Amino acid sequence: GESVGLHLPTLSVQEGDNSIINCAYSNSASDYFIWYKQESGKGPQFIIDIRSNMDKRQGQRVTVLLNKTVKHLSLQIAATQPGDSAVYFCAENDSGGGADGLTFGKGTHLIIQP
Amino acid sequence: GAGVSQSPSNKVTEKGKDVELRCDPISGHTALYWYRQRLGQGLEFLIYFQGNSAPDKSGLPSDRFSAERTGGSVSTLTIQRTQQEDSAVYLCASSLLRAPQPQHFGDGTRLSIL
């Protein structure tokens, strides 16, 4: 079946650097995308979302980029801090396809080096 | 608190027993979702409730799994005749309106089947 996946399971960055977490999706009908941060023992925490009529959206220290041509999504975190260490998941939804749940990728573990 | 509340936080039971997991969504949220997260994996959609409509059960893995939502608020997920492969974290989420909307997650119930 179609699913959302990630290119790298682990990403290690220096504190203060920018982080870029990538995600590929295969369902060309997906029209809603969302990034979550999950810390150990906690539920996923909403970071930012984007709809398919946009290609970029910015939040506080985070930017999501959507490239529908190649079905690629990325999350950029500026000036990475120790508190950003977590597993990051992308997820997608095809709102016109009758599916109400989100389809999640396997996650990228972001490690911050001091 | 104002977030999604799940109970119990941990549940250990013997193979073959039935278990009930509870979710209290954010007040005023009309949509409620259940997901399963196996160790080191992304989330798998199980079931979705929207208002008084019939639930979307498309993600339930077998007929041993069922869920209900009473009064449009609290939900229980029931797993009958538990198997070892049911061991996972079960996460509940709610959103203000039906998809596509950010879903806000509880911290889950960690279920261990002996």
Side-chain angles (χ1 to χ4, degrees):
Chain A
E2 291 180 309
S3 64
V4 178
L6 293 167
H7 294 308
L8 295 171
T10 301
L11 177 65
S12 183
V13 299
Q14 292 291 125
E15 183 178 348
D17 287 352
N18 297 335
S19 302
I20 300 176
I21 302 171
N22 295 304
C23 181
Y25 65 95
S26 56
N27 184 357
S28 56
S30 294
D31 57 0
Y32 178 73
F33 304 87
I34 189 166
W35 281 98
Y36 284 95
K37 172 187 180 183
Q38 188 175 30
E39 296 174 292
S40 181
K42 300 288 188 181
Q45 177 186 354
F46 168 73
I47 301 173
I48 192 167
D49 61 356
I50 188 168
R51 296 175 194 269
S52 59
N53 60 351
M54 302 174 68
D55 52 20
K56 180 179 180 178
R57 192 167 186 218
Q58 289 185 291
Q60 186 176 10
R61 277 202 311 120
V62 295
T63 301
V64 56
L65 298 176
L66 175 63
N67 185 330
K68 294 181 287 295
T69 302
V70 295
K71 291 184 282 189
H72 184 268
L73 189 71
S74 68
L75 176 71
Q76 299 178 3
I77 305 173
T80 312
Q81 303 169 358
D84 295 328
S85 290
V87 177
Y88 289 80
F89 292 97
C90 63
E92 54 92 8
N93 177 259
D94 171 12
S95 63
D100 298 293
L102 292 169
T103 300
F104 280 78
K106 288 187 169 59
T108 293
H109 186 192
L110 179 64
I111 298 171
I112 312 303
Q113 304 282 3
Chain B
V4 176
S5 178
Q6 292 188 245
S7 61
S9 54
N10 286 282
K11 177 72 176 178
V12 180
T13 193
E14 293 179 346
K15 177 182 171 182
K17 300 286 189 184
D18 298 351
V19 294
E20 277 192 0
L21 313 179
R22 177 186 168 104
C23 173
D24 281 276
I26 294 171
S27 178
H29 279 196
T30 63
L32 187 147
Y33 308 78
W34 284 98
Y35 291 85
R36 177 172 69 181
Q37 185 176 29
R38 291 198 164 109
L39 185 65
Q41 301 293 312
L43 282 68
E44 304 168 71
F45 167 71
L46 296 178
I47 189 169
Y48 160 73
F49 295 91
Q50 172 62 44
N52 296 320
S53 302
D56 172 4
K57 304 179 182 179
S58 60
L60 294 179
S62 78
D63 59 7
R64 296 187 295 104
F65 288 71
S66 63
E68 62 178 21
R69 188 180 186 190
T70 53
S73 181
V74 172
S75 177
T76 55
L77 176 69
T78 300
I79 309 173
Q80 296 178 307
R81 305 181 302 282
T82 52
Q83 304 294 314
Q84 287 189 330
E85 62 263 28
D86 299 334
S87 295
V89 177
Y90 290 83
L91 291 152
C92 176
S94 68
S95 62
L96 184 61
L97 301 171
R98 71 170 300 164
Q101 286 267 310
Q103 297 175 22
H104 301 276
F105 285 83
D107 287 336
T109 294
R110 182 175 299 276
L111 178 63
S112 300
I113 310 299
L114 302 178

